[in-house]
């Protein structure tokens, strides 16, 4: 989503359920969605001011558009950083705060992990 040459609102719609499951804290999600809505409006206003229409009185300029682009990229990076932090530091994870290793693990809840990212660092 951050480096793709095309943009579609469906990209965001597909990610919303996964983002809610991965990060059930509403503040970063609300910030991300606000940036997405801002970008949605900005891209159409920017295209309105470009040739062949060239309606600069109706559209927005380059500075405003690229501010929306960078705002969107930064909020996606913030969401990614929160998810990675929750993976690497389970004590910060809202879902695993109750002490369960894996809520859907059943009999495997609390079992030792066969593969961890920390084992690659050593």
């Amino acid at each position: 989503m951050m480096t793709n040459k095309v943009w579609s609102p469906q990209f965001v719609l597909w990610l919303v359920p996964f983002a809610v499951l991965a990060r059930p804290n509403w503040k970063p999600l609300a910030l991300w969605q606000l940036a997405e809505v801002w970008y949605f409006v900005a891209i159409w206003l920017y295209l309105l001011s470009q040739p062949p229409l060239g309606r600069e009185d109706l559209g927005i300029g380059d500075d405003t558009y690229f501010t929306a682009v960078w705002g969107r990229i930064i909020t996606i990076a913030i969401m990614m950083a929160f998810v990675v932090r929750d993976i690497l530091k389970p004590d910060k994870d809202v879902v695993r705060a109750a002490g369960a290793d894996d809520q859907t693990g059943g009999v495997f809840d609390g079992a030792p992990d066969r593969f961890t990212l920390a084992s690659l660092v050593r």
Side-chain angles (χ1 to χ4, degrees):
M1 286 181 60
M2 294 167 61
T3 60
N4 200 356
K5 64 181 178 179
V6 295
W7 175 80
S8 175
Q10 290 86 347
F11 296 163
V12 180
L13 293 176
W14 279 101
L15 276 184
V16 169
F18 297 117
V20 169
L21 289 172
R23 187 82 190 129
N25 189 349
W26 68 271
K27 291 175 187 174
L29 287 169
L31 182 66
W32 172 50
Q33 289 302 299
L34 183 66
E36 290 291 343
V37 169
W38 178 31
Y39 182 74
F40 178 79
V41 172
I43 195 169
W44 296 115
L45 289 177
Y46 179 71
L47 291 174
L48 189 61
S49 67
Q50 299 302 307
L53 288 178
R55 295 291 309 263
E56 294 177 9
D57 57 325
L58 297 176
I60 60 174
D62 293 343
D63 294 340
T64 307
Y65 172 69
F66 288 113
T67 302
V69 170
W70 280 108
R72 179 177 175 268
I73 289 172
I74 289 168
T75 56
I76 292 171
I78 289 170
M79 284 293 295
M80 289 170 41
F82 274 130
V83 170
V84 169
R85 184 199 67 177
D86 290 346
I87 290 170
L88 296 176
K89 296 184 179 182
D91 56 326
K92 303 272 188 192
D93 190 359
V94 177
V95 175
R96 295 189 282 179
D101 179 46
D102 185 3
Q103 289 77 19
T104 60
V107 297
F108 297 110
D109 185 28
D113 295 328
R114 297 210 47 172
F115 171 76
T116 62
L117 294 176
S119 67
L120 295 175
V121 177
R122 295 181 198 165

